[in-house]
Amino acid sequence: MGQATAVAVVLDEATLRRLERTVASASGQVRQVLRARIVLGVADELTNGQIAVACATSVNTVRKWRGRFALHGLPGLDDAHRPGRPKLYGPQARVQIVATATSAPPYPESTWSHWRIAGRLADLGILSSQVGRILNDLDTRPHRVRGWLTRRDDPAFWERTIDVCGLYLAPPPGTVRISIDEKTSVQAKSRKYAGQSAAVGRPARQEFEYIRHGTVSIIAAMDIDTGQVITESISRNNSVTFVEFLGRLDATIDPAKEIHLVLDNGSSHTAKHTKAWFQAHPRWHLHRTPPHASWLNVIEIWFSTLTKRVLRYGDFPSRSDLIDKIEAFTILHNETARPYRWTYDGTPRRPSPTGRARRGGLRRVCQRNGVTQVVGVTDGLRRGGRRR
């Protein structure tokens, strides 16, 4: 029997250079480097046996990849498609699973579980683990519930949104811009036992049990142009308290300047007493956020920072201690305060390879200057301010 003739291989210059780069790559996959070395050995007119010795592999392996390259070129060096194990459940079963997961759960339960779905489809003989895999591939999670608010179809929503965003992006010259709101019922809690500091490989620990010492409410006003904040502890959140705070602000601001105030629709902000005060002080111009859109008020970003850095994991043995720490944080903030910039431009959330929406890339510097261009800022209805 005669010796089999090796498959002829022809390489052009571009293919040769690409194979050489693959072999020289420090981060290339081992199997890809091996296949490239086999083809380069063929280009050097080595026999299959010599190539096998040089690559520390078998002659059959050399023949396989030599033949694959001869038939398909560079794509032939990639792994062939593997269909895997045949699916146990066809499209009809999958449709039944999805239909069940997206339907109302049985009374009195409020959500589905994989185990409950498998029980409902017992005639399929499917396991709950398989239900989970099928639903995960389809990015369907019937056990999870996300809060949702149906926005009222109110034309004033867009008018107010454009008004507030226009104030942020195109401020009237020579005016003072203020953002104001209250943060109520902040609990003064102290832990029953001391916590433990963070250690290598372990986060800080905080005692679960705590002792309540009452609550504190504050009112805060931010100078939008500087980022500086004034806070004041309040005993009652009503129009009288709010107007008294406004009066103190009014006395400290240059009487020659107009004041633009961003505020929400809280009861203390819409009471008759408050409206009468604003009518008596015409230099105050109101910019109310739409209902359920308090995130348009930039002071809310500062409240979020206060919560993360002081309130959430803080230990407060008394109400006065809580007030002192809020005031101390405010003073430190004002020493290095800078204005917040509105950066969200309405770009929709980008889907990730797994089907989940990614939050990254949402916040970009908004370069719009005209009020007519501000509508795009609200397309996603998400807060987009951050410190710069």
Side-chain angles (χ1 to χ4, degrees):
M1 184 179 292
Q3 186 175 6
T5 304
V7 178
V9 173
V10 179
L11 282 80
D12 56 34
E13 191 66 23
T15 302
L16 185 62
R17 295 289 173 262
R18 184 169 175 180
L19 291 171
E20 289 174 344
R21 287 197 300 270
T22 301
V23 172
S25 174
S27 58
Q29 296 181 352
V30 174
R31 58 178 179 269
Q32 293 292 344
V33 172
L34 173 62
R35 297 165 192 175
R37 290 181 61 193
I38 290 173
V39 177
L40 289 176
V42 174
D44 292 337
E45 300 182 350
L46 299 178
T47 66
N48 289 347
Q50 291 171 326
I51 296 173
V53 172
C55 296
T57 188
S58 67
V59 174
N60 286 339
T61 299
V62 175
R63 288 173 181 159
K64 172 183 176 180
W65 294 110
R66 180 174 186 156
R68 288 268 292 270
F69 182 83
L71 288 174
H72 307 290
L74 283 174
L77 300 183
D78 295 330
D79 290 336
H81 175 69
R82 294 180 174 86
R85 187 181 67 176
K87 293 182 178 179
L88 297 177
Y89 305 96
Q92 185 64 31
R94 291 169 179 263
V95 168
Q96 288 183 260
I97 292 171
V98 174
T100 303
T102 55
S103 64
Y107 180 86
E109 300 189 26
S110 58
T111 59
W112 284 104
S113 66
H114 297 161
W115 174 83
R116 182 70 62 184
I117 293 173
R120 172 64 67 89
L121 302 175
D123 56 318
L124 295 178
I126 192 169
L127 299 176
S128 59
S129 58
Q130 185 66 25
V131 170
R133 283 190 288 270
I134 291 173
L135 293 178
N136 186 63
D137 290 342
L138 299 172
D139 195 28
T140 304
R141 295 168 179 78
H143 58 284
R144 298 186 64 180
V145 178
R146 182 178 180 181
W148 177 259
L149 174 67
T150 302
R151 179 175 54 81
R152 290 177 292 181
D153 188 15
D154 182 7
F157 177 91
W158 301 109
E159 295 171 4
R160 290 189 178 189
T161 300
I162 292 172
D163 178 48
V164 173
C165 292
L167 179 66
Y168 292 148
L169 298 176
T175 61
V176 177
R177 298 181 299 164
I178 296 176
S179 173
I180 194 169
D181 202 5
E182 296 89 1
K183 188 173 182 65
T184 59
S185 301
V186 181
Q187 293 192 63
K189 300 186 296 185
S190 62
R191 300 294 158 174
K192 202 168 184 179
Y193 303 99
Q196 298 179 14
S197 302
V200 177
R202 190 202 71 197
R205 293 176 175 176
Q206 188 175 59
E207 171 62 32
F208 179 78
E209 292 188 277
Y210 57 85
I211 303 172
R212 291 190 178 96
H213 303 283
T215 61
V216 170
S217 297
I218 63 172
I219 186 171
M222 172 184 285
D223 185 337
I224 298 174
D225 295 299
T226 65
Q228 293 186 327
V229 177
I230 296 175
T231 60
E232 184 176 296
S233 173
I234 57 177
S235 57
R236 298 191 66 181
N237 181 24
N238 55 23
S239 59
V240 175
T241 303
F242 183 62
V243 165
E244 289 176 352
F245 184 72
L246 291 176
R248 286 188 285 274
L249 286 179
D250 187 69
T252 60
I253 298 174
D254 184 354
K257 289 189 174 183
E258 299 291 303
I259 303 172
H260 291 266
L261 180 67
V262 179
L263 72 168
D264 60 21
N265 303 280
S267 60
S268 62
H269 304 168
T270 57
K272 292 181 180 179
H273 183 57
T274 304
K275 292 179 179 179
W277 189 91
F278 283 125
Q279 289 177 356
H281 297 76
R283 71 168 179 151
W284 287 76
H285 306 278
L286 305 186
H287 303 264
R288 295 190 183 275
T289 60
H292 307 300
S294 60
W295 46 266
L296 282 173
N297 197 345
V298 73
I299 190 64
E300 297 292 346
I301 305 174
W302 187 83
F303 281 148
S304 175
T305 303
L306 173 68
T307 300
K308 292 175 183 176
R309 296 176 57 180
V310 179
L311 305 180
R312 181 168 296 163
Y313 301 113
D315 195 80
F316 312 107
S318 64
R319 291 181 69 257
S320 60
D321 179 71
L322 173 58
I323 294 171
D324 290 344
K325 287 179 179 176
I326 292 175
E327 292 178 350
F329 175 79
T330 305
I331 293 171
L332 290 174
H333 166 84
N334 290 339
E335 291 177 355
T336 58
R338 290 178 293 174
Y340 290 90
R341 294 179 62 189
W342 194 259
T343 59
Y344 179 56
D345 64 355
T347 304
R349 304 176 77 183
R350 295 182 296 158
S352 69
T354 61
R356 299 181 180 87
R358 284 170 47 185
R359 296 181 184 274
L362 284 174
R363 299 180 177 187
R364 303 175 184 172
V365 176
C366 183
Q367 300 296 339
R368 300 182 178 94
N369 294 317
V371 174
T372 57
Q373 296 178 322
V374 176
V375 177
V377 177
T378 66
D379 291 345
L381 300 183
R382 292 176 54 80
R383 186 183 70 198
R386 64 178 175 186
R387 274 192 84 182
R388 290 283 185 178

